[in-house]
Amino acid sequence: MSERMDGLLMVLIGIFAVIVLGWRLNRWLMSPPAAQLPGMPINERIQDHPAIELLEREGYEVIGGKVKINLSFDTEEGSVHSRLFIDYVASDDGGELYLVKLSRDRLPVDWTGSGIRDRLMPLLLLYPECAGLLYIDQNESAVRRLTMDWSDEEWIGNDD
C-alpha cells in the first residue's frame, strides 16, 4: 500500500509541476515587451553643418544625422504628444557612441545641475547605452562633453 501512495504522490507532484511550468510559460509569452527604445538611433542621412567640422577637430566622427523621437503621454484629459530631437550621433576613437545636441539661441542651457537635468537628461535616460552627450555651443565654437552618473547620496527632508 505504501508503494501505491508513493506512486500517487509522484503523479500529483508531476501534474503540479507541469501546471506551474505551463502557467509561467504562458505568462512569459503574453507579457508586453519592455518599454525601452530599441538601441541607439542612427540616421544614415547626415546634413552638412559647421558643427560636423568642429566635432571632427575634437576627435569625433559623426555617424548619424538628425533623429526625431516621438513621445505620447496619457493623462486624465486625454493623450498629449511631444518629441525630442537628437541632432547627430557621433563616435570617439574607442568606438563609444555619443548623442549630439546643438545649442539654440532661444533655448539656452543653464549650466547648473537642475538646468542640465531639465534640458539634457531625458536624452541620456532614453539611451543609457550611450557614453554621454556632446553639447555644441555654436556661439563659442566649443564642444562640451556631458556624462551622467547616479549619486549614492540620499536626500531626505529639508536642507538645513
Side-chain angles (χ1 to χ4, degrees):
M1 179 128 176
S2 173
E3 290 177 14
R4 187 170 178 207
M5 290 302 278
D6 288 344
L8 182 61
L9 185 60
M10 291 302 285
V11 168
L12 289 175
I13 290 173
I15 291 172
F16 179 74
V18 168
I19 290 172
V20 169
L21 187 64
W23 175 73
R24 292 292 296 166
L25 181 65
N26 184 44
R27 190 169 162 205
W28 175 67
L29 289 173
M30 296 303 171
S31 64
Q36 189 175 19
L37 295 175
M40 185 78 73
I42 306 289
N43 180 0
E44 307 264 331
R45 200 169 132 235
I46 302 170
Q47 292 182 344
D48 196 29
H49 191 277
I52 294 175
E53 184 180 316
L54 183 59
L55 283 168
E56 289 172 349
R57 274 197 317 239
E58 294 289 326
Y60 298 98
E61 178 187 359
V62 175
I63 60 171
K66 185 176 226 99
V67 175
K68 178 174 69 169
I69 302 157
N70 293 314
L71 303 171
S72 177
F73 303 96
D74 291 327
T75 66
E76 291 177 359
E77 290 80 26
S79 186
V80 293
H81 304 280
S82 186
R83 57 192 173 270
L84 291 172
F85 290 96
I86 298 170
D87 294 308
Y88 296 103
V89 176
S91 68
D92 63 6
D93 294 335
E96 296 284 339
L97 294 178
Y98 290 87
L99 304 173
V100 179
K101 281 296 284 178
L102 300 177
S103 65
R104 306 276 189 257
D105 287 335
R106 61 187 182 110
L107 265 170
V109 173
D110 179 20
W111 290 100
T112 62
S114 60
I116 293 169
R117 177 198 65 214
D118 293 344
R119 292 267 298 133
L120 302 174
M121 185 181 73
L123 295 171
L124 293 170
L125 291 176
L126 277 174
Y127 300 105
E129 67 272 13
C130 73
L133 185 132
L134 302 173
Y135 184 83
I136 298 180
D137 189 331
Q138 298 179 81
N139 295 331
E140 296 179 17
S141 294
V143 177
R144 294 185 184 210
R145 186 174 157 270
L146 176 70
T147 60
M148 184 179 76
D149 196 11
W150 299 98
S151 174
D152 291 338
E153 181 181 334
E154 187 172 318
W155 180 76
I156 301 174
N158 299 327
D159 280 341
D160 290 333

